[in-house]
């Protein structure tokens, strides 16, 4: 039986950073489920039908170069509100979780919908201002000219869309442990996550 870690939370909270570190530490496989929605969003921006794109998604689509752009992030959160798109992506995510001895999946609904029986559920969050600051710095290094105010508005718009949609809204699972990374370094946030997972692994017989 696989050991599954579900990591959910809003944009730029540090989910991906923690997930990669946890996967490396415990030797688990990692799936960034946001990439699935980003890949659908990118194909829809190019003129595709959202549900058809989600059904036809292939591993190669997750390697596309533009998936990290702000435009694709907004498109991802729009297609992510469509029940047909979400339904088309469920089996792939659950198959991934089952298929590895240890798996970390990060996204918005992993602990609530995709893997409700996950061994560990973390809800990683931070204030919108801190998250916007992180994204602003990342985008600046990547050559984007968006202002901090613009990035903050984008983060808030995506939070609102993700939290208020009818299907699989962003929220902590009832049994999730919250890690607020607003005042934590990456090393501190990673250490906290590893501590929770190590304790839980020790308990499982
Ligand atoms: O996956 P998600 O969108 O939640 O966030 P990320 O891409 O892992 O992290 C966003 C940025 O915040 C990265 O540049 C991290 O280095 C930085 N960061 C962090 O992840 N955790 C902290 N405690 C502090 C900074
Ligand atoms: O990296 P960041 O946290 O900015 O975004 P992401 O994880 O790549 O997700 C992009 C968008 O996909 C989110 O704003 C959500 O609307 C959607 N998403 C979702 O609905 N469910 C997931 N499990 C993962 C992402």
């Amino acid at each position: 039986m696989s050991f599954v870690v579900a990591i959910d939370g809003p944009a730029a909270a540090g989910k991906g950073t923690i997930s990669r570190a946890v996967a490396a530490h415990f030797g688990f496989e990692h799936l960034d489920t946001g990439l699935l929605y980003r890949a659908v969003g990118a194909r829809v921006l190019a003129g595709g039908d959202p549900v058809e794109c989600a059904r036809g998604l292939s591993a190669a689509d997750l390697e596309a170069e533009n998936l990290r752009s702000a435009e694709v992030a907004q498109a991802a959160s729009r297609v992510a509100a469509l029940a047909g798109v979400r339904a088309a992506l469920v089996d792939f995510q659950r198959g991934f979780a089952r298929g590895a001895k240890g798996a970390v999946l990060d996204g918005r609904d992993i602990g609530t919908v995709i893997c409700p029986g996950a061994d560990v559920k973390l809800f990683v969050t931070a204030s919108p201002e801190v998250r916007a600051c992180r994204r602003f710095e990342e985008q600046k290094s990547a050559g984007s000219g968006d202002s901090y105010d613009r990035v903050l508005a984008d983060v808030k718009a995506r939070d609102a869309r993700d939290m208020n949609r009818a299907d699989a809204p962003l929220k902590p699972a009832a049994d999730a442990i919250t890690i607020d990374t607003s005042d934590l370094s990456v090393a501190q946030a990673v250490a906290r996550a590893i501590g929770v997972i190590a304790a839980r692994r020790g308990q499982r017989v």
Side-chain angles (χ1 to χ4, degrees):
M1 209 170 65
S2 64
F3 188 94
V4 177
V5 179
I7 302 188
D8 293 305
K15 304 179 300 295
T17 303
I18 289 176
S19 298
R20 285 188 293 274
V22 160
H25 183 87
F26 292 102
F28 293 168
E29 301 292 327
H30 170 221
L31 178 64
D32 171 358
T33 66
L35 277 183
L36 303 173
Y37 295 91
R38 284 174 182 263
V40 175
R43 288 178 65 176
V44 169
L45 285 176
D49 169 76
V51 177
E52 289 307 315
C53 289
R55 288 193 181 134
L57 211 61
S58 72
D61 294 318
L62 306 185
E63 312 284 331
E65 295 222 326
N66 63 342
L67 297 187
R68 286 282 148 215
S69 77
E71 190 192 15
V72 168
Q74 293 296 338
S77 90
R78 285 194 296 273
V79 300
L82 304 173
V85 166
R86 304 201 72 83
L89 301 176
V90 167
D91 286 351
F92 177 80
Q93 296 173 83
R94 290 192 179 145
F96 183 92
R98 268 197 309 271
K101 265 180 87 176
V104 189
L105 290 84
D106 77 287
R108 301 292 185 288
D109 63 338
I110 308 303
T112 50
V113 174
I114 301 296
C115 302
D119 297 274
V120 178
K121 297 179 188 176
L122 300 178
F123 192 80
V124 178
T125 189
S127 73
E129 290 73 20
V130 165
R131 292 187 285 116
C133 198
R134 292 174 181 170
R135 263 304 125 85
F136 173 68
E137 293 299 335
E138 281 175 2
Q139 291 182 6
K140 203 167 67 178
S141 319
S144 153
D146 283 352
S147 68
Y148 167 79
D149 287 345
R150 173 67 203 268
V151 176
L152 178 61
D154 275 2
V155 160
K156 286 184 171 171
R158 203 139 62 88
D159 284 357
R161 217 182 282 130
D162 290 349
M163 291 188 292
N164 295 318
R165 67 183 174 223
D167 195 19
L170 169 64
K171 62 173 180 194
D175 51 350
I177 293 170
T178 295
I179 300 179
D180 187 330
T181 68
S182 301
D183 298 315
L184 298 182
S185 67
V186 168
Q188 287 171 323
V190 165
R192 205 165 285 187
I194 287 176
V196 171
I197 296 163
R200 200 63 59 83
R201 281 190 105 198
Q203 283 163 15
R204 204 172 100 167
V205 280

